Amino acid sequence: MNEKKECKIVQDLLPNYIEKVTTEETNSYIENHLKTCKECPKVYSTMSENLNTKPTIEEKEVRYMKKFHKQLKFLKIILLVIVLFFVFSIGRKTYILCSLGAKWEKTNQELSDNYIEKSLKYSNGTMIEIIGYRKDQDYITTINYFNVDGQNYKMVHYKKNNEKLYLLETRDKKIQFEGERMISFQPGISFDTTSYFIGNVQTAPFIKIETLNIDDKECYVIKYSNEDRIVDKETGIMIKTVHYENDGISTTEYSYEFGSVKDSDIQRPDTTGYEIVQNEVDLQ
């Protein structure tokens, strides 16, 4: 047989020979050839090293599984960090909302029988100013409405003892409403939230909470989808709102003064010149 042809046949058989899957006769033929050939032993040595260092199918599967488990473990750690961060964030916001609600309830209970309320709202060329005095169950609230178009008016809501008044004054008329179902606008301490846990847990995922100092007061800024509410940390009272509307931004600022209202501050308004109208419509 031609020597080169015989070398080619032997080299084709070498992989199976190294893997020990050839017959005894074939093994004897290959080994006899390797003893007499100069080139094939070199090919055998190189091929044997390559095949011995090449991982088996089982080894590949083991390496793949190790890599897969390593990646899975890393993914679990990432998911755990995300879940812990989410739980911490929700828990923190829920705690803040409940804390503010509890503080407002305490403030409202202890101080709501004597205070002055002032608020100022700006919205699309309109300004609404509200000033209210409250002492026990008596109050007087004045609402001034100013518009760039000149549509200005003033309303006064008054209650002292058993007497109630609701006055409306525009540019060309003065009206005193009477009737058992009159509108009533009492001063009230504005607040942002309540201390109810479940409601705050449901709200927490949809808001952001930041901190802010206003006039040396530490405040929380609670950001909803279309509104920011600024709340005094100490009292839970809302001191400002910023509402984002399609046609602009409206802001309302609140301020309170507690324990300074006297009986003389709640004086009956002068009703001279007012037209008396029976109000049978519940405007609340």
Coordinates of all heavy atoms in Angstrom, one line a residue, residues 183-255:
I183 N -75.8 78.3 53.0 CA -74.5 77.8 52.9 C -73.7 78.3 54.1 O -73.9 79.3 54.6 CB -73.8 78.4 51.6 CG1 -72.4 77.7 51.3 CG2 -73.6 79.9 51.6 CD1 -71.8 78.0 50.0
S184 N -72.7 77.5 54.5 CA -71.9 77.8 55.7 C -70.4 77.5 55.4 O -70.1 76.4 55.0 CB -72.3 77.0 56.9 OG -71.5 77.3 58.0
F185 N -69.6 78.5 55.5 CA -68.2 78.3 55.2 C -67.4 78.6 56.5 O -67.1 79.7 56.8 CB -67.7 79.3 54.1 CG -66.4 78.9 53.5 CD1 -66.3 78.1 52.3 CD2 -65.2 79.2 54.1 CE1 -65.1 77.8 51.8 CE2 -64.0 78.9 53.6 CZ -63.9 78.1 52.4
Q186 N -67.1 77.5 57.2 CA -66.5 77.6 58.5 C -64.9 77.5 58.3 O -64.5 76.8 57.5 CB -66.9 76.6 59.5 CG -68.4 76.5 59.7 CD -68.8 75.4 60.7 OE1 -68.0 75.1 61.6 NE2 -70.0 74.8 60.4
P187 N -64.2 78.2 59.2 CA -62.7 78.0 59.1 C -62.4 76.6 59.5 O -63.1 75.9 60.2 CB -62.2 79.0 60.2 CG -63.3 80.0 60.4 CD -64.6 79.2 60.2
G188 N -61.3 76.1 58.8 CA -60.9 74.7 59.1 C -59.4 74.6 58.9 O -58.8 75.3 58.1
I189 N -58.8 73.7 59.7 CA -57.4 73.5 59.7 C -57.1 72.5 58.5 O -57.5 71.3 58.6 CB -56.8 73.0 61.0 CG1 -57.2 74.0 62.1 CG2 -55.3 72.8 60.9 CD1 -56.8 73.4 63.5
S190 N -56.4 72.9 57.5 CA -56.1 72.1 56.4 C -55.1 71.0 56.7 O -54.2 71.2 57.5 CB -55.6 72.9 55.2 OG -56.6 73.9 54.8
F191 N -55.4 69.8 56.2 CA -54.5 68.7 56.4 C -54.3 67.9 55.2 O -55.0 68.1 54.2 CB -55.0 67.8 57.5 CG -56.3 67.1 57.1 CD1 -56.2 65.8 56.8 CD2 -57.5 67.8 57.1 CE1 -57.4 65.1 56.4 CE2 -58.7 67.1 56.7 CZ -58.6 65.8 56.4
D192 N -53.2 67.1 55.2 CA -52.9 66.3 54.0 C -53.4 64.9 54.0 O -53.8 64.4 53.0 CB -51.3 66.3 53.8 CG -50.9 65.5 52.6 OD1 -51.1 65.9 51.5 OD2 -50.4 64.4 52.9
T193 N -53.4 64.3 55.1 CA -53.7 62.8 55.1 C -54.3 62.5 56.5 O -54.5 63.4 57.3 CB -52.4 62.0 54.9 OG1 -52.8 60.6 54.9 CG2 -51.4 62.2 56.0
T194 N -54.6 61.2 56.7 CA -55.1 60.7 57.9 C -54.1 59.7 58.5 O -53.1 59.4 57.9 CB -56.5 60.1 57.7 OG1 -56.3 58.8 57.0 CG2 -57.4 61.0 57.0
S195 N -54.4 59.2 59.7 CA -53.6 58.2 60.3 C -54.0 56.8 60.0 O -53.4 55.8 60.5 CB -53.6 58.4 61.8 OG -54.9 58.3 62.3
Y196 N -54.9 56.6 59.1 CA -55.4 55.3 58.7 C -54.3 54.5 57.9 O -53.9 54.9 56.9 CB -56.7 55.4 57.9 CG -57.9 55.9 58.7 CD1 -58.5 57.1 58.3 CD2 -58.3 55.3 59.9 CE1 -59.6 57.6 59.0 CE2 -59.3 55.8 60.6 CZ -60.0 57.0 60.2 OH -61.0 57.5 60.9
F197 N -53.9 53.4 58.5 CA -52.8 52.7 58.0 C -53.1 52.1 56.6 O -52.3 52.3 55.6 CB -52.4 51.5 58.9 CG -51.3 50.7 58.4 CD1 -50.0 51.1 58.5 CD2 -51.5 49.4 57.9 CE1 -48.9 50.3 58.1 CE2 -50.5 48.6 57.4 CZ -49.2 49.1 57.5
I198 N -54.2 51.4 56.4 CA -54.5 50.8 55.1 C -54.6 51.8 54.0 O -54.0 51.6 52.9 CB -55.8 50.0 55.2 CG1 -55.7 48.9 56.3 CG2 -56.1 49.4 53.8 CD1 -54.6 47.9 56.0
G199 N -55.2 52.9 54.2 CA -55.4 53.9 53.2 C -54.0 54.5 52.8 O -53.7 54.7 51.6
N200 N -53.1 54.7 53.8 CA -51.8 55.2 53.5 C -50.9 54.2 52.8 O -50.1 54.6 51.9 CB -51.1 55.7 54.8 CG -51.8 56.9 55.3 OD1 -52.3 57.7 54.6 ND2 -51.8 57.0 56.7
V201 N -51.1 52.9 53.1 CA -50.3 51.9 52.4 C -50.7 51.9 50.9 O -49.9 51.7 50.0 CB -50.6 50.5 53.0 CG1 -50.0 49.4 52.1 CG2 -49.9 50.4 54.4
Q202 N -52.0 52.0 50.6 CA -52.5 52.1 49.2 C -52.0 53.3 48.5 O -51.8 53.3 47.3 CB -54.0 52.0 49.2 CG -54.5 50.6 49.8 CD -56.1 50.6 49.9 OE1 -56.7 51.7 50.0 NE2 -56.6 49.4 50.0
T203 N -51.9 54.4 49.2 CA -51.4 55.7 48.6 C -49.9 55.7 48.4 O -49.5 56.2 47.4 CB -51.8 56.8 49.5 OG1 -53.2 56.9 49.7 CG2 -51.4 58.2 48.9
A204 N -49.2 55.1 49.3 CA -47.7 55.2 49.3 C -47.0 54.9 47.9 O -46.1 55.6 47.5 CB -47.1 54.4 50.4
P205 N -47.4 53.8 47.2 CA -46.7 53.5 46.0 C -46.8 54.6 44.9 O -46.0 54.6 44.0 CB -47.4 52.2 45.5 CG -48.0 51.6 46.7 CD -48.4 52.8 47.5
F206 N -47.8 55.5 45.0 CA -48.1 56.4 43.9 C -47.6 57.8 44.2 O -48.0 58.8 43.5 CB -49.6 56.4 43.6 CG -50.1 55.0 43.3 CD1 -50.8 54.3 44.3 CD2 -49.9 54.4 42.1 CE1 -51.3 53.1 44.0 CE2 -50.4 53.2 41.8 CZ -51.1 52.5 42.8
I207 N -46.8 58.0 45.3 CA -46.4 59.3 45.7 C -44.9 59.4 45.9 O -44.3 58.3 46.1 CB -47.1 59.9 46.9 CG1 -46.7 58.9 48.1 CG2 -48.6 60.0 46.7 CD1 -47.2 59.5 49.5
K208 N -44.3 60.5 45.9 CA -42.9 60.8 46.3 C -43.0 61.7 47.5 O -43.8 62.6 47.5 CB -42.1 61.4 45.1 CG -42.0 60.5 43.9 CD -41.1 61.1 42.9 CE -40.9 60.2 41.7 NZ -40.1 60.9 40.6
I209 N -42.0 61.6 48.4 CA -41.9 62.4 49.5 C -40.5 63.0 49.6 O -39.5 62.2 49.6 CB -42.3 61.7 50.8 CG1 -43.7 61.2 50.8 CG2 -42.1 62.6 52.0 CD1 -44.2 60.4 52.0
E210 N -40.4 64.3 49.7 CA -39.2 65.0 49.8 C -39.2 65.9 51.1 O -40.3 66.1 51.6 CB -38.8 65.8 48.6 CG -38.7 65.0 47.3 CD -38.6 65.8 46.1 OE1 -38.6 67.1 46.2 OE2 -38.4 65.2 45.0
T211 N -38.1 66.5 51.5 CA -38.1 67.4 52.6 C -37.7 68.8 52.1 O -37.1 69.0 51.1 CB -37.0 66.9 53.7 OG1 -35.7 66.8 53.0 CG2 -37.4 65.6 54.3
L212 N -38.2 69.8 52.9 CA -38.0 71.2 52.5 C -38.1 72.1 53.7 O -38.9 71.8 54.6 CB -39.1 71.5 51.5 CG -39.1 73.0 50.9 CD1 -37.9 73.2 50.0 CD2 -40.4 73.2 50.1
N213 N -37.4 73.1 53.7 CA -37.5 74.1 54.8 C -38.2 75.4 54.3 O -37.8 75.9 53.3 CB -36.1 74.5 55.3 CG -35.5 73.5 56.3 OD1 -36.3 72.8 56.9 ND2 -34.2 73.4 56.4
I214 N -39.2 75.8 54.9 CA -40.0 77.0 54.6 C -40.1 77.9 55.8 O -40.8 77.5 56.8 CB -41.4 76.7 54.0 CG1 -41.2 75.9 52.7 CG2 -42.1 78.0 53.7 CD1 -42.5 75.5 52.1
D215 N -39.5 79.1 55.8 CA -39.6 80.0 56.9 C -39.2 79.3 58.2 O -39.9 79.4 59.2 CB -41.0 80.6 57.1 CG -41.4 81.4 55.8 OD1 -40.5 82.0 55.2 OD2 -42.6 81.4 55.5
D216 N -38.1 78.6 58.2 CA -37.5 77.9 59.3 C -38.4 76.8 59.8 O -38.2 76.3 60.9 CB -37.3 78.9 60.5 CG -36.2 79.9 60.1 OD1 -35.3 79.6 59.4 OD2 -36.3 81.1 60.6
K217 N -39.3 76.3 59.0 CA -40.1 75.2 59.3 C -39.7 74.0 58.5 O -39.5 74.1 57.3 CB -41.6 75.4 59.0 CG -42.3 76.4 60.0 CD -43.8 76.5 59.6 CE -44.5 77.4 60.6 NZ -46.0 77.5 60.2
E218 N -39.5 72.9 59.1 CA -39.2 71.6 58.4 C -40.5 71.0 57.9 O -41.5 70.8 58.6 CB -38.5 70.6 59.3 CG -37.1 71.0 59.7 CD -36.4 69.9 60.5 OE1 -37.0 68.9 60.7 OE2 -35.2 70.1 60.8
C219 N -40.5 70.8 56.6 CA -41.7 70.3 55.9 C -41.5 69.1 55.0 O -40.3 68.8 54.6 CB -42.3 71.4 55.0 SG -42.7 73.0 55.9
Y220 N -42.5 68.4 54.8 CA -42.5 67.3 53.8 C -43.2 67.8 52.5 O -44.3 68.5 52.6 CB -43.3 66.1 54.3 CG -42.5 65.2 55.3 CD1 -43.0 65.0 56.6 CD2 -41.3 64.6 54.9 CE1 -42.3 64.3 57.5 CE2 -40.6 63.8 55.8 CZ -41.1 63.7 57.1 OH -40.4 62.9 58.0
V221 N -42.7 67.5 51.4 CA -43.3 67.8 50.1 C -43.9 66.4 49.6 O -43.1 65.6 49.3 CB -42.4 68.4 49.1 CG1 -43.2 68.7 47.8 CG2 -41.7 69.7 49.6
I222 N -45.2 66.3 49.6 CA -45.8 65.1 49.1 C -46.3 65.3 47.7 O -47.1 66.1 47.4 CB -47.0 64.7 50.0 CG1 -46.5 64.6 51.5 CG2 -47.6 63.3 49.6 CD1 -47.6 64.3 52.5
K223 N -45.6 64.5 46.8 CA -45.9 64.7 45.4 C -46.8 63.7 44.8 O -46.5 62.5 44.8 CB -44.5 64.7 44.6 CG -43.6 65.8 44.9 CD -42.3 65.7 44.2 CE -41.4 66.9 44.4 NZ -41.9 68.1 43.7
Y224 N -48.0 64.1 44.4 CA -49.0 63.2 43.8 C -48.8 63.4 42.3 O -47.9 64.2 41.8 CB -50.4 63.6 44.2 CG -50.7 63.3 45.7 CD1 -50.2 64.2 46.7 CD2 -51.3 62.1 46.1 CE1 -50.5 63.9 48.0 CE2 -51.6 61.9 47.4 CZ -51.1 62.8 48.4 OH -51.4 62.5 49.7
S225 N -49.6 62.7 41.5 CA -49.5 62.8 40.0 C -49.7 64.2 39.5 O -49.0 64.6 38.5 CB -50.4 61.8 39.4 OG -51.8 62.1 39.7
N226 N -50.6 64.9 40.1 CA -50.9 66.3 39.5 C -50.9 67.3 40.6 O -51.5 68.4 40.4 CB -52.3 66.3 38.8 CG -53.4 65.9 39.8 OD1 -53.2 65.4 40.9 ND2 -54.6 66.3 39.4
E227 N -50.3 67.0 41.8 CA -50.4 68.0 42.9 C -49.2 67.8 43.8 O -48.9 66.6 44.1 CB -51.7 67.9 43.6 CG -51.9 69.0 44.6 CD -53.3 69.0 45.3 OE1 -53.6 67.9 45.9 OE2 -54.0 69.9 45.2
D228 N -48.6 68.9 44.3 CA -47.7 68.8 45.4 C -48.3 69.4 46.7 O -48.9 70.5 46.6 CB -46.4 69.6 45.1 CG -45.7 69.1 43.9 OD1 -45.9 67.9 43.5 OD2 -44.8 69.8 43.3
R229 N -48.1 68.7 47.8 CA -48.7 69.2 49.1 C -47.5 69.4 50.1 O -46.8 68.4 50.3 CB -49.7 68.3 49.6 CG -50.9 68.0 48.7 CD -51.9 67.0 49.2 NE -52.9 66.7 48.2 CZ -53.9 65.8 48.4 NH1 -53.9 65.1 49.6 NH2 -54.8 65.6 47.5
I230 N -47.4 70.6 50.6 CA -46.3 70.8 51.5 C -46.9 70.9 52.9 O -47.9 71.6 53.2 CB -45.7 72.2 51.2 CG1 -45.1 72.1 49.8 CG2 -44.6 72.5 52.2 CD1 -44.5 73.4 49.3
V231 N -46.4 70.0 53.8 CA -47.0 69.8 55.1 C -46.0 70.0 56.2 O -44.8 69.6 56.1 CB -47.5 68.3 55.3 CG1 -48.3 68.1 56.6 CG2 -48.5 68.0 54.1
D232 N -46.4 70.8 57.3 CA -45.5 71.0 58.4 C -45.2 69.7 59.1 O -46.1 69.0 59.5 CB -46.2 72.0 59.3 CG -45.3 72.5 60.5 OD1 -44.3 71.8 60.7 OD2 -45.6 73.5 61.1
K233 N -43.9 69.3 59.3 CA -43.6 68.1 60.0 C -44.1 68.0 61.4 O -44.5 67.0 61.9 CB -42.1 67.9 60.0 CG -41.5 67.4 58.7 CD -40.0 67.2 58.9 CE -39.3 66.7 57.6 NZ -37.9 66.4 57.8
E234 N -44.1 69.2 62.1 CA -44.3 69.2 63.5 C -45.8 69.1 63.8 O -46.2 68.4 64.8 CB -43.8 70.5 64.1 CG -44.0 70.6 65.6 CD -43.4 71.9 66.2 OE1 -42.7 72.6 65.5 OE2 -43.6 72.1 67.4
T235 N -46.7 69.7 63.0 CA -48.1 69.8 63.3 C -49.0 68.9 62.4 O -50.1 68.7 62.7 CB -48.6 71.2 63.2 OG1 -48.4 71.7 61.9 CG2 -47.8 72.1 64.2
G236 N -48.4 68.5 61.2 CA -49.2 67.8 60.2 C -50.2 68.7 59.4 O -51.0 68.2 58.7
I237 N -50.0 70.0 59.6 CA -50.9 71.0 58.9 C -50.3 71.3 57.5 O -49.1 71.5 57.3 CB -51.0 72.3 59.7 CG1 -51.7 72.0 61.0 CG2 -51.8 73.3 58.9 CD1 -51.8 73.2 61.9
M238 N -51.2 71.3 56.5 CA -50.8 71.6 55.2 C -50.6 73.1 55.1 O -51.5 73.9 55.4 CB -51.9 71.1 54.2 CG -51.4 71.2 52.7 SD -52.3 70.0 51.7 CE -54.0 70.5 52.0
I239 N -49.5 73.6 54.6 CA -49.2 75.0 54.5 C -49.2 75.5 53.0 O -49.2 76.7 52.8 CB -47.9 75.4 55.2 CG1 -46.7 74.6 54.6 CG2 -48.0 75.1 56.7 CD1 -45.4 75.0 55.2
K240 N -49.1 74.6 52.1 CA -49.2 75.0 50.7 C -49.5 73.8 49.8 O -49.1 72.7 50.0 CB -47.8 75.6 50.3 CG -47.8 76.2 48.9 CD -46.4 76.9 48.6 CE -46.4 77.5 47.2 NZ -45.1 78.2 46.9
T241 N -50.3 74.1 48.7 CA -50.5 73.2 47.7 C -50.2 73.8 46.3 O -50.4 75.0 46.1 CB -52.0 72.7 47.6 OG1 -52.8 73.8 47.4 CG2 -52.4 72.0 49.0
V242 N -49.7 73.0 45.4 CA -49.4 73.4 44.0 C -50.1 72.4 43.1 O -49.7 71.2 43.1 CB -47.9 73.4 43.7 CG1 -47.7 73.9 42.3 CG2 -47.2 74.4 44.7
H243 N -51.1 72.8 42.4 CA -51.9 71.9 41.6 C -51.6 72.2 40.1 O -51.6 73.3 39.6 CB -53.4 72.1 41.8 CG -54.3 71.1 41.2 ND1 -54.4 69.9 41.7 CD2 -55.0 71.2 40.0 CE1 -55.2 69.2 40.9 NE2 -55.6 69.9 39.9
Y244 N -51.2 71.1 39.4 CA -50.8 71.2 38.0 C -52.0 70.9 37.1 O -52.5 69.8 37.1 CB -49.6 70.3 37.7 CG -48.4 70.6 38.6 CD1 -48.2 69.8 39.8 CD2 -47.5 71.6 38.3 CE1 -47.1 70.1 40.6 CE2 -46.4 71.8 39.1 CZ -46.3 71.1 40.2 OH -45.2 71.3 41.1
E245 N -52.5 71.9 36.4 CA -53.7 71.7 35.6 C -53.3 71.8 34.1 O -52.2 72.2 33.8 CB -54.7 72.8 35.9 CG -55.1 72.8 37.4 CD -55.9 74.1 37.7 OE1 -55.8 75.1 37.0 OE2 -56.6 74.1 38.8
N246 N -54.2 71.4 33.2 CA -53.9 71.5 31.8 C -53.7 72.9 31.3 O -52.9 73.1 30.4 CB -55.1 70.9 31.0 CG -55.2 69.4 31.3 OD1 -54.2 68.7 31.5 ND2 -56.4 68.8 31.2
D247 N -54.3 73.8 31.9 CA -54.2 75.2 31.5 C -53.4 76.1 32.4 O -53.4 77.3 32.3 CB -55.6 75.9 31.3 CG -56.4 75.7 32.6 OD1 -56.0 75.0 33.5 OD2 -57.5 76.4 32.7
G248 N -52.6 75.5 33.3 CA -51.7 76.3 34.1 C -51.5 75.6 35.5 O -51.9 74.5 35.7
I249 N -51.0 76.4 36.4 CA -50.7 76.0 37.7 C -51.5 76.9 38.7 O -51.5 78.1 38.6 CB -49.2 76.1 38.0 CG1 -48.4 75.2 37.1 CG2 -48.9 75.7 39.5 CD1 -46.9 75.3 37.3
S250 N -52.1 76.2 39.7 CA -52.7 77.0 40.8 C -52.0 76.6 42.1 O -51.7 75.5 42.4 CB -54.2 76.6 40.9 OG -54.4 75.3 41.2
T251 N -51.8 77.7 42.9 CA -51.2 77.5 44.2 C -52.1 78.0 45.3 O -52.8 79.0 45.1 CB -49.8 78.2 44.3 OG1 -50.0 79.6 44.1 CG2 -48.9 77.7 43.1
T252 N -52.0 77.4 46.5 CA -52.8 77.9 47.6 C -51.8 77.8 48.8 O -51.2 76.8 49.1 CB -54.0 77.0 47.9 OG1 -54.8 77.0 46.7 CG2 -54.8 77.6 49.1
E253 N -51.7 79.0 49.5 CA -50.9 79.1 50.7 C -51.8 79.2 51.9 O -52.7 80.0 51.9 CB -49.9 80.2 50.6 CG -49.0 80.1 49.4 CD -48.1 81.3 49.3 OE1 -48.2 82.3 50.1 OE2 -47.2 81.3 48.4
Y254 N -51.4 78.5 53.0 CA -52.2 78.5 54.2 C -51.3 79.0 55.4 O -50.1 78.7 55.5 CB -52.7 77.1 54.6 CG -53.5 76.4 53.5 CD1 -52.8 75.7 52.5 CD2 -54.9 76.5 53.4 CE1 -53.5 75.1 51.5 CE2 -55.6 75.9 52.4 CZ -54.9 75.1 51.4 OH -55.6 74.5 50.4
S255 N -51.9 79.7 56.3 CA -51.2 80.1 57.6 C -52.3 80.1 58.7 O -53.5 80.4 58.5 CB -50.6 81.5 57.4 OG -51.5 82.5 57.2

